[in-house]
Amino acid sequence: MDAQGRGRADDVDPADQWVLNPRTGEYELRLSPSAPESSVPGPRTAGSRASGRRTTAPGREVPPQRRRRAEPEAPVPGRRGRRPEKKKSRGKRVLLWTGGSMAFVVLVAGVGGYVYLKHLEGNVSTTDVGTAGSSSFKKDEAFNILIIGTDKRTGEGNEGYGDKGSAGHADTNILLHVAKDRSNATALSIPRDLIVDIPDCETTQEDGSKKVIPGSSGVRFNQSLGDLGRDAGCTMRTVKAVTGIQPHHFMMADFNAVKTLTTAVDGVDVCVEHAVDDPKSHLQLPAGESTVEGEQALAFVRTRHAFGNEGDLDRIKVQQQFLGSLMRKMSSSDTLTSPTKLVKLAEAATKALTVDSAIGKVGTLKDIALELKKVPTKNITFTTVPVIDNPAEKVKATVVVNEAKGPQVFDMIKNDISFTEVEQKQKKEKAAVAARLKGEKSEPGEVRVRVMNGGAPAGSAQQELAYLQTQAGVSKSENAGNAPAEVAKTTLEYAPDQADQARALAEILGLSGAAMKPGESVTNAQGLPTMTLTLGKDFKGAGVKLDGSVKKPDLDTESTADQKLCAS
């Protein structure tokens, strides 16, 4: 925005384009060339003589003669001529600063999604959750964000939603896990009616003092927020107690978020198998596809009586479909290339949002947004904590974790394993590395290996040795104690003439080609050449394969963000 004719950020010429800068990975505003000045002289004014214009006829004036520009020197042969660098005006720098940081952020809370704009400051509210979360955001690590939608009645027009006088319970909850390599993400919905034990939690009061709120046993998950003065840190601690997964940060919003965000993007596309006429939520939709925004969008994600068995679990499915559609709309070219929509999204999101203090700064929010932008929508999986009806109830109103499936789902997230097909297939090994697994394999009884502990829990080498000897048939194995140094990944070192033994052991242990290290053998007590298996920090237990190829449990609810589904 130079000084001539470009005053406000929202007065953007239609010819101006938002383009992706491949060097920074951010969007910038590319301004159209300035229009040529008119050659038709205008009416003479009182100040024309003073400005240097000369008159040729009444009412006409001629612009002063212009100096001819000197012809530019021809560039030296072999070198390109360089156009002098144009200094950006302050206004243009501001617009580039704001536009360059616009990144699509997965969001939600069952009530919407959020986009962060770097230029917005002061809109976001923060909560000090102490040790319930992380003290900082790390761009090179996997991270978990707990997204909470509350039932608190705030804002005009929300009297018909939530409980009257509610302090704001954890009405809708999604634990968003983003993989370390950003190839995938998992959005795990946690039912509000899940029976849990809420642990003691320390909260920060308005005067800065600390107060420990006692825990509760056998209560609904949604009571982890609001009841007895519990804050989002208490909800984070409850998630850790139930799943074993540590939430690093939280984002929380109320009913207004979905209304303002959907309006900012001109509506979100939804689909229903049957026409809907719900007098309780006032949702009315014809069968098939529709576009909803504002009050109608909020009714869509809040209704429990229009779909399935009219329960919270069916509503979660509908919310997940809605969020997938919202994410597609927010990441579409129509949204990302529209400065007006992006500014509206930024205002709506930040004003509706509360986060933990560690990510409350604009720079940190921008970093999170840029990391989330790397995840393809086809690899963002929506699923729900596996549950069964509460066996303690005659009239079924609550649920408990399905112990046959839940722990496996939690372990996949803790171990950064994707629910889509990307966890190993997208991390393709180079041909030379993959080739180490191809070829003849020895019989297990011919494999000679010594096992060392290089960072696994104490006793792991002996436990793995016992597994190899008693269950895998690798009888020629021995415990070699602790490795000289700790290693992050389990490795198998072997001499070239031991490749057939190495491939056999790799198949038994689930070792990848990258874990196999051609090198030298060592001589054991009997003077025989022996391979060396060093258990690293990635070791998950005796007999557990190390390639991440766990069998995912059959889940009742699972979809990805790129799928267009119809609610039923």
Side-chain angles (χ1 to χ4, degrees):
M1 289 196 334
D2 52 36
Q4 296 180 1
R6 296 184 182 274
R8 299 180 303 157
D10 54 353
D11 292 336
V12 178
D13 191 278
D16 297 342
Q17 298 290 324
W18 290 95
V19 297
L20 180 67
N21 185 330
R23 183 174 62 82
T24 64
E26 299 182 352
Y27 283 91
E28 297 179 356
L29 183 65
R30 178 173 294 169
L31 301 174
S32 62
S34 300
E37 293 183 4
S38 172
S39 60
V40 180
R44 182 178 182 184
T45 63
S48 62
R49 185 179 300 275
S51 64
R53 296 183 183 270
R54 57 192 178 90
T55 304
T56 59
R60 307 241 338 150
E61 62 183 18
V62 177
Q65 291 183 347
R66 299 178 179 177
R67 296 181 181 177
R68 294 186 61 186
R69 294 181 179 176
E71 294 293 327
E73 293 183 5
V76 178
R79 296 180 59 187
R80 291 184 178 181
R82 304 186 75 181
R83 180 177 297 176
E85 185 176 354
K86 204 172 185 179
K87 186 175 181 181
K88 296 182 179 70
S89 67
R90 181 178 183 276
K92 186 181 293 185
R93 289 198 305 271
V94 170
L95 190 54
L96 290 177
W97 178 64
T98 60
S101 65
M102 295 173 183
F104 141 65
V105 170
V106 83
L107 67 158
V108 248
V111 289
Y114 310 97
V115 169
Y116 293 98
L117 297 181
K118 187 176 179 180
H119 80 290
L120 293 176
E121 294 191 14
N123 281 355
V124 180
S125 300
T126 61
T127 298
D128 179 6
V129 297
T131 59
S134 298
S135 59
S136 62
F137 174 72
K138 298 179 180 179
K139 293 192 287 185
D140 58 349
E141 297 289 343
F143 60 91
N144 304 315
I145 296 180
L146 178 61
I147 304 167
I148 307 171
T150 76
D151 60 356
K152 189 173 183 178
R153 291 183 178 182
T154 57
E156 184 178 354
N158 293 324
E159 295 80 6
Y161 300 102
D163 298 327
K164 184 177 182 179
S166 172
H169 296 107
D171 191 54
T172 304
N173 311 277
I174 294 181
L175 180 63
L176 176 66
H177 170 79
V178 180
K180 181 176 181 178
D181 65 1
R182 309 303 185 241
S183 67
N184 66 92
T186 301
L188 180 69
S189 292
I190 304 173
R192 68 175 191 177
D193 295 327
L194 178 68
I195 295 299
V196 299
D197 293 337
I198 300 174
D200 297 345
C201 61
E202 183 179 74
T203 60
T204 302
Q205 306 300 299
E206 291 185 1
D207 60 2
S209 62
K210 303 291 185 179
K211 178 182 178 181
V212 176
I213 300 177
S216 302
S217 299
V219 297
R220 281 178 166 87
F221 181 89
N222 69 343
Q223 293 179 236
S224 63
L225 178 70
D227 273 19
L228 306 178
R230 293 187 177 109
D231 62 14
C234 299
T235 309
M236 295 171 73
R237 294 180 193 274
T238 304
V239 170
K240 175 67 180 299
V242 174
T243 66
I245 304 168
Q246 174 63 64
H248 300 119
H249 306 286
F250 86 88
M251 298 179 182
M252 181 168 63
D254 56 24
F255 296 128
N256 286 317
V258 67
K259 293 196 295 185
T260 54
L261 285 171
T262 53
T263 299
V265 296
D266 295 335
V268 173
D269 296 332
V270 298
C271 180
V272 294
E273 290 188 1
H274 309 287
V276 174
D277 186 2
D278 180 11
K280 293 189 176 181
S281 68
H282 307 295
L283 178 65
Q284 293 181 327
L285 289 176
E289 296 183 357
S290 299
T291 300
V292 296
E293 66 176 274
E295 289 287 349
Q296 193 179 34
L298 179 57
F300 183 83
V301 298
R302 292 290 302 167
T303 182
R304 291 205 309 172
H305 303 283
F307 309 113
N309 296 321
E310 303 186 5
D312 190 50
L313 295 179
D314 289 302
R315 181 172 65 170
I316 287 175
K317 296 178 186 177
V318 173
Q319 290 172 344
Q320 291 172 346
Q321 295 170 17
F322 176 86
L323 293 173
S325 180
L326 177 59
M327 291 162 63
R328 292 192 297 272
K329 186 65 175 285
M330 292 169 69
S331 60
S332 69
S333 59
D334 287 345
T335 300
L336 293 179
T337 58
S338 170
T340 301
K341 287 184 180 179
L342 285 169
V343 170
K344 286 181 179 179
L345 277 170
E347 293 291 344
T350 53
K351 288 180 180 178
L353 194 65
T354 299
V355 302
D356 57 286
S357 302
I359 61 172
K361 294 184 179 179
V362 171
T364 306
L365 292 173
K366 185 209 73 170
D367 288 342
I368 294 176
L370 292 176
E371 293 305 308
L372 288 167
K373 190 179 70 170
K374 298 176 183 178
V375 183
T377 55
K378 67 179 181 179
N379 292 332
I380 300 175
T381 300
F382 290 104
T383 190
T384 305
V385 172
V387 296
I388 58 174
D389 288 333
N390 187 352
E393 294 177 335
K394 292 183 178 180
V395 177
K396 304 304 180 184
T398 61
V399 293
V400 297
V401 173
N402 183 336
E403 294 299 336
K405 298 181 179 181
Q408 194 168 351
V409 170
F410 305 151
D411 285 344
M412 289 180 68
I413 294 175
K414 282 191 292 185
N415 293 318
D416 203 21
I417 298 174
S418 173
F419 282 69
T420 59
E421 295 299 319
V422 301
E423 70 272 9
Q424 294 302 322
K425 294 180 181 179
Q426 193 160 315
K427 303 171 186 175
K428 293 180 179 178
E429 299 172 328
K430 293 181 180 179
V433 174
R436 297 172 188 168
L437 297 171
K438 298 177 181 179
E440 296 292 329
K441 300 181 181 68
S442 299
E443 292 297 323
E446 298 175 358
V447 174
R448 186 176 287 107
V449 63
R450 63 175 190 155
V451 183
M452 303 186 75
N453 191 332
S460 294
Q462 185 58 41
Q463 293 168 12
E464 185 74 344
L465 179 65
Y467 165 76
L468 290 173
Q469 292 180 342
T470 62
Q471 299 185 50
V474 184
S475 56
K476 297 177 182 178
S477 52
E478 59 188 82
N479 188 342
N482 292 327
E486 291 190 353
V487 294
K489 300 289 186 181
T490 296
T491 60
L492 174 64
E493 185 175 1
Y494 58 97
D497 60 353
Q498 296 172 314
D500 53 349
Q501 296 182 43
R503 287 190 285 267
L505 189 60
E507 184 176 54
I508 293 171
L509 300 180
L511 294 176
S512 65
M516 300 172 66
K517 303 295 182 183
E520 298 179 354
S521 62
V522 296
T523 303
N524 65 8
Q526 290 75 38
L528 299 172
T530 305
M531 300 185 296
T532 301
L533 175 68
T534 304
L535 305 180
K537 295 180 180 179
D538 62 338
F539 181 72
K540 299 179 177 66
V544 179
K545 290 185 179 293
L546 289 161
D547 61 0
S549 59
V550 296
K551 186 179 186 304
K552 182 176 63 177
D554 295 328
L555 302 174
D556 297 329
T557 59
E558 183 180 343
S559 62
T560 53
D562 65 325
Q563 293 178 305
K564 297 181 179 180
L565 303 174
C566 290
S568 60

